[in-house]
Amino acid sequence: MSLNAFISYLSLEKNYSRHTVNAYKNDILGFSSFCSSEYQIKTIDAVDYTIIRSWIVALVNKKVSNRTINRKIASLKAYYKFLQKSGVRATNPLVKHKALKTQKKIEVPFSEQEMEKVLQQIPFEQDFEGVRDKLLIELLYATGMRRAELVNLTLEGVSLNRTSLKVLGKRNKERIIPVLPITIEAIKKYLQYRSDLPSIQDNTFLFLTKSGHKIYETLVYRVINKYLSMVSFKIKKSPHILRHTFATHLLNKGADLNAVKELLGHSSLASTQVYTHNSIAELKKVHHNAHPRNKD
């Protein structure tokens, strides 16, 4: 019963996405299953840290990564915090828990040359899917929006006259993103092909499959991976890397960090600062080339 209440709280009050809510639920059910099989405990609501600690050890022994274990424990910690606020238990058993050490995750953005190649040199098919796929890549790079935001972008949210898009971000927060004139022309071209589809099932949304249904996140990933693989040897080629590329290229060109934060839809500046390591490298290069004290 407590888990159902927690799931409702995440969905209705915290406005978390279905994907995020399912991740929390699966983590908690995983711990519940461990308690049932190892300790014959039917409910996890009253367990102490000793049992949680033994779960962590079991996960480590199974070679589960520290990053994944930290995520699972974060889910459990949020659950016990909810139980504490609800009066179900007096304390949170994880209040003093320290996360396991993890290696810093470095995501390498695409270069300006790679983005220029994919948008200017690849011969996309001049049909509905070819025009759509190119626009998918261009919009992600031009706006830095999330994959889910792209999938859920509506026709109503596209303002050609104002050269802007209205997207629905995390926790149902709306934001307006400016769009370059070249991207507006690409949208107009796509809309012409879209209007010629023999059948449209989900007319609310901008991006559709050729059968007229709303596109899905796996399709977006496949498109990005397919075309970026033609111009880049980088291991990770995903929609999120395009978002990372957008932020890095703006910062490299001198964009204000707060402005990039707003464009990305981040709630805190700390989330945006993860993109600055690449721009710092660029600043070092500029400093090295331009400073009069440099004798090279």
Side-chain angles (χ1 to χ4, degrees):
M1 190 65 180
S2 295
L3 179 56
N4 290 336
F6 178 61
I7 295 306
S8 296
Y9 164 74
L10 295 179
S11 301
L12 302 176
E13 292 191 41
K14 301 292 283 185
N15 283 326
Y16 284 174
S17 70
R18 182 169 52 85
H19 176 77
T20 301
V21 172
N22 284 337
Y24 273 90
K25 184 178 179 180
N26 290 335
D27 290 339
I28 294 164
L29 287 175
F31 177 61
S32 180
S33 176
F34 170 82
C35 289
S36 176
S37 63
E38 297 296 321
Y39 295 94
Q40 289 72 55
I41 294 174
K42 292 183 179 179
T43 174
I44 64 169
D45 290 3
V47 301
D48 60 23
Y49 183 69
T50 305
I51 293 175
I52 299 172
R53 175 80 182 170
S54 68
W55 185 46
I56 295 171
V57 171
L59 292 171
V60 170
N61 289 337
K62 288 180 180 178
K63 308 296 183 186
V64 177
S65 73
N66 285 5
R67 190 178 300 278
T68 300
I69 293 172
N70 286 342
R71 192 209 68 223
K72 290 176 182 293
I73 296 303
S75 298
L76 208 55
K77 188 174 184 179
Y79 177 64
Y80 287 123
K81 184 178 180 182
F82 170 78
L83 294 185
Q84 191 179 3
K85 286 174 69 176
S86 304
V88 174
R89 61 179 296 155
T91 59
N92 187 333
L94 283 160
V95 69
K96 292 184 179 179
H97 172 77
K98 291 184 178 179
L100 303 181
K101 288 184 178 180
T102 58
Q103 283 189 328
K104 206 162 187 181
K105 201 174 175 182
I106 298 176
E107 294 180 326
V108 182
F110 298 112
S111 67
E112 290 183 39
Q113 292 75 20
E114 286 170 333
M115 293 311 305
E116 190 69 18
K117 280 181 183 177
V118 79
L119 292 171
Q120 298 297 330
Q121 296 180 21
I122 289 179
F124 287 83
E125 293 292 332
Q126 289 304 300
D127 57 15
F128 170 76
E129 287 189 319
V131 172
R132 179 202 64 194
D133 291 355
K134 185 176 181 181
L135 180 60
L136 283 177
I137 298 168
E138 186 156 350
L139 262 189
L140 287 170
Y141 177 51
T143 66
M145 70 172 72
R146 301 176 179 93
R147 174 169 53 173
E149 293 170 347
L150 182 90
V151 168
N152 293 304
L153 186 60
T154 63
L155 280 175
E156 190 180 341
V158 179
S159 178
L160 298 175
N161 293 333
R162 295 180 181 177
T163 61
S164 65
L165 302 174
K166 181 168 69 176
V167 301
L168 193 63
K170 286 186 174 180
R171 302 178 194 179
N172 292 327
K173 286 175 64 178
E174 283 188 352
R175 73 181 185 282
I176 305 297
I177 306 177
V179 184
L180 299 168
I182 191 171
T183 309
I184 289 294
E185 292 306 310
I187 294 173
K188 287 179 180 177
K189 181 177 180 179
Y190 163 73
L191 288 173
Q192 291 174 353
Y193 280 87
R194 185 186 184 279
S195 66
D196 290 335
L197 286 174
S199 173
I200 293 181
Q201 308 299 322
D202 296 311
N203 201 36
T204 301
F205 301 98
L206 175 65
F207 285 109
L208 303 176
T209 64
K210 64 180 179 182
S211 60
H213 291 91
K214 175 187 174 184
I215 61 166
Y216 43 95
E217 293 196 9
T218 310
L219 183 150
V220 178
Y221 179 84
R222 285 204 305 259
V223 168
I224 302 307
N225 194 62
K226 172 185 174 181
Y227 289 103
L228 268 301
S229 292
M230 296 179 186
V231 299
S232 176
F233 291 106
K234 290 182 172 70
I235 294 171
K236 195 168 181 183
K237 295 175 277 289
S238 68
H240 182 72
I241 297 298
L242 276 182
R243 179 170 162 85
H244 185 47
T245 300
F246 163 83
T248 301
H249 290 181
L250 284 184
L251 290 166
N252 284 348
K253 296 295 184 181
D256 177 71
L257 191 63
N258 274 300
V260 176
K261 167 185 169 289
E262 295 301 317
L263 289 169
L264 291 170
H266 284 157
S267 55
S268 71
L269 203 58
S271 300
T272 316
Q273 285 173 331
V274 301
Y275 299 113
T276 60
H277 70 274
N278 293 92
S279 58
I280 288 170
E282 188 70 17
L283 285 172
K284 283 181 179 178
K285 187 164 47 172
V286 171
H287 180 267
H288 178 84
N289 292 336
H291 200 283
R293 289 286 295 164
N294 183 33
K295 305 301 183 184
D296 289 353

